[in-house]
Amino acid sequence: MDILGTLWSTFFDLESMRAALPELLRVGLRNTLVLALFSALIGTVLGMVLAVCGLSRSRWLRWPARVWTDVFRGLPAAVTILLIGVGLAPVGLELWGPNPYPLGILALSLIASAYIGEIFRSGIQSVEAGQLEAARALGFSRPAGMRLVVIPQGVRRVLPALVNQFISLIKDSSLVYFLGLLATQRDLFRIGQDAAANTGNESALVLAGLLYLVITVPLTHAVNAIDRRLREGRRPDANDHDDSDLPPLALAQEAR
């Protein structure tokens, strides 16, 4: 019984949680979401560029994209963050001062771009070759057919995987603490870790973990809902004539 009481007071002390909660919500949650959102946006744009380059017929585009993907997927996230955050720190000091967030966001974006690029590439390649051939038969150029017909279908198919990658980014954002953070720059993990180190009680770190779960668990269920919706398909009403029911080639032809 004493063991259970010790474990409870070590990991679930309500007073320690109550003391850490305001800073976790006011500072940690905001910084964690900023890191994850900006990294996801930049990583998505770079990932799409990598996917298109990786599918290019030109080896001068295909091979650099392949090397980029292999490097940033192969390196541990902590190594990438340290190499960029420490190696480019002098440049960062000249541009924006001692704030480590831009370099942390850059590192997370490069990591995310490698994974998102592969996600996009697999989605685009999963689209039947006949879709592009039909677009060419309608008079589209190859780039236009890819942009208006193939890529939209490929992106739709990989939405669940993209949300999963965003969940991974939220968790990987905790690694930015390697770069050294000011009190106002700390994320959920660092605030919980500091509180645990100062008090000798792990309850604040457990609370930080619970806040990560509050963010990631709903996203996980959203992934499942999106995946289920895409697999089951849309069930239109009898009187529903929305443009979304048109085949991709018809939509592309209208856009043209």
Side-chain angles (χ1 to χ4, degrees):
M1 193 65 181
D2 290 337
I3 295 177
L4 292 177
T6 300
L7 291 175
W8 181 265
S9 62
T10 300
F11 294 102
F12 299 99
D13 182 65
L14 296 181
E15 188 60 35
S16 297
M17 288 184 174
R18 190 179 301 114
L21 182 59
E23 191 173 16
L24 284 169
L25 293 177
R26 187 179 67 255
V27 179
L29 183 61
R30 180 195 64 200
N31 289 331
T32 294
L33 292 178
V34 165
L35 284 169
L37 287 173
F38 278 96
S39 300
L41 290 174
I42 299 172
T44 299
V45 173
L46 292 176
M48 178 57 75
V49 173
L50 285 175
V52 173
C53 291
L55 294 172
S56 173
R57 295 176 176 176
S58 171
R59 63 181 179 181
W60 299 108
L61 294 176
R62 192 171 62 251
W63 280 105
R66 185 73 263 170
V67 171
W68 178 298
T69 301
D70 289 342
V71 168
F72 287 108
R73 287 181 70 191
L75 286 175
V79 173
T80 302
I81 290 172
L82 283 173
L83 286 175
I84 293 175
V86 177
L88 297 181
V91 178
L93 285 172
E94 292 291 333
L95 295 177
W96 52 70
N99 187 356
Y101 267 17
L103 291 177
I105 290 173
L106 174 61
L108 290 173
S109 300
L110 296 179
I111 297 168
S113 68
Y115 289 96
I116 292 174
E118 285 298 282
I119 291 171
F120 280 143
R121 186 175 66 85
S122 64
I124 293 171
Q125 287 183 320
S126 71
V127 178
E128 296 77 7
Q131 292 286 323
L132 182 58
E133 294 172 0
R136 296 297 301 276
L138 290 173
F140 288 90
S141 64
R142 189 175 189 277
M146 289 290 292
R147 186 179 71 255
L148 296 173
V149 178
V150 178
I151 291 178
Q153 293 184 73
V155 171
R156 182 183 176 185
R157 294 181 182 186
V158 298
L159 280 178
L162 286 176
V163 179
N164 277 328
Q165 184 58 40
F166 180 62
I167 293 173
S168 296
L169 266 179
I170 293 174
K171 294 183 290 186
D172 287 345
S173 66
S174 62
L175 297 175
V176 175
Y177 87 93
F178 287 135
L179 304 183
L181 302 173
L182 300 177
T184 58
Q185 298 169 341
R186 294 178 299 169
D187 63 338
L188 287 173
F189 169 72
R190 189 53 192 254
I191 291 175
Q193 184 191 45
D194 287 347
N198 292 333
T199 63
N201 189 288
E202 301 298 321
S203 300
L205 191 56
V206 170
L207 181 58
L210 292 175
L211 290 176
Y212 277 111
L213 291 177
V214 168
I215 302 171
T216 57
V217 170
L219 285 175
T220 302
H221 288 289
V223 169
N224 296 333
I226 293 171
D227 187 47
R228 184 167 58 251
R229 178 72 177 272
L230 292 178
R231 281 188 286 105
E232 292 177 355
R234 185 172 181 270
R235 298 177 181 177
D237 296 333
N239 298 323
D240 189 1
H241 300 291
D242 185 57
D243 286 345
S244 61
D245 294 331
L246 295 174
L249 283 176
L251 289 173
Q253 195 169 15
E254 287 188 6
R256 189 165 181 262

